[in-house]
Amino acid sequence: MRCIVLILFVLMSYVSWSQKSFFEYVPKNWKIVSTAKGDLNKDGIEDLVLIVKDNDASNRIKNESLGPGILDVNSRNLLILFKDKSGNYTLADSNSNGFIPSENLAEDPCLEDPFNGVSIVKNILILDFNYWYSCGSSSSSSITYKFRCQNNNFELIGADYSSYSRFTGDQWNTSINFSIKKKEVTTGLNEFHESNPVTTKSSIEISELFKLKDCYFDTYSEVLSF
């Protein structure tokens, strides 16, 4: 009986050791700050998305201006890990270009943490951002990016943008479908008064879809230029 238990323990240890854990892809001294699970490559197996963050104390700097007293400017990266039938993880894609910005920005200290979450819905990777200022601006905005695994890349197939004035209540929304090259803009919305929304539809011209691995902080402005 003791031999059987020992054999089972060895086998379980071997399986655990031989599997490629997702922790192996997290850089040393970095930490996981957000995760999402779901099937991204349509193989019926639950994949994993990690948002990881550097943990360097020297990147927490004193702020002499408006905003929080300490700014955390540690980098954050995105990792997409495909899982196979054996439970092994492989790195399918990543972004370390600042597309997921740091919690605070030294050049814009009044901006609250822009990153709002990651999720996987119906094989689509969804990244949410919110731009809200604690000082220096009365406007706030949000954008949701939708990426799909296709053409050996994660390509941007859609973006939904909303902007709102905290003073007037005026709001406008923009929805772009890059797959079919269509755009909808809704104006005339108001959070404080009765709205009279008007939606305008148009076509956009784009020769190549945005790739997740190439996106960076200013991709936000590029997307809204369509």
Side-chain angles (χ1 to χ4, degrees), residues 72-106:
D72 188 343
V73 297
N74 276 292
S75 298
R76 293 190 289 198
N77 296 347
L78 181 149
L79 306 174
I80 299 176
L81 304 170
F82 285 167
K83 188 177 182 180
D84 63 22
K85 293 180 180 179
S86 299
N88 296 305
Y89 286 94
T90 56
L91 184 64
D93 209 343
S94 64
N95 184 287
S96 57
N97 302 329
F99 185 52
I100 310 294
S102 56
E103 185 175 333
N104 303 114
L105 301 176

Side-chain angles (χ1 to χ4, degrees), residues 84-176:
D84 63 22
K85 293 180 180 179
S86 299
N88 296 305
Y89 286 94
T90 56
L91 184 64
D93 209 343
S94 64
N95 184 287
S96 57
N97 302 329
F99 185 52
I100 310 294
S102 56
E103 185 175 333
N104 303 114
L105 301 176
E107 64 275 17
D108 203 357
C110 289
L111 179 64
E112 297 291 311
D113 186 355
F115 179 62
N116 203 37
V118 56
S119 59
I120 299 171
V121 179
K122 296 181 179 179
N123 313 117
I124 303 298
L125 172 62
I126 300 173
L127 293 166
D128 290 308
F129 297 84
N130 186 48
Y131 300 87
W132 192 91
Y133 290 84
S134 61
C135 51
S137 177
S138 63
S139 64
S140 62
S141 61
S142 61
I143 189 167
T144 297
Y145 300 94
K146 300 175 183 178
F147 292 91
R148 182 164 58 204
C149 182
Q150 58 187 30
N151 302 318
N152 297 316
N153 281 289
F154 276 84
E155 296 183 326
L156 182 64
I157 61 169
D160 296 312
Y161 170 80
S162 179
S163 183
Y164 165 72
S165 170
R166 303 202 298 269
F167 280 170
T168 66
D170 290 330
Q171 178 180 336
W172 56 96
N173 301 331
T174 299
S175 182
I176 305 174

Side-chain angles (χ1 to χ4, degrees), residues 4 19 31 45 81 87 92 111 124-125 127 144 182 200 214:
I4 295 175
Q19 286 182 338
K31 62 180 182 179
I45 301 174
L81 304 170
L111 179 64
I124 303 298
L125 172 62
L127 293 166
T144 297
K182 297 293 183 182
T200 303
D214 298 326

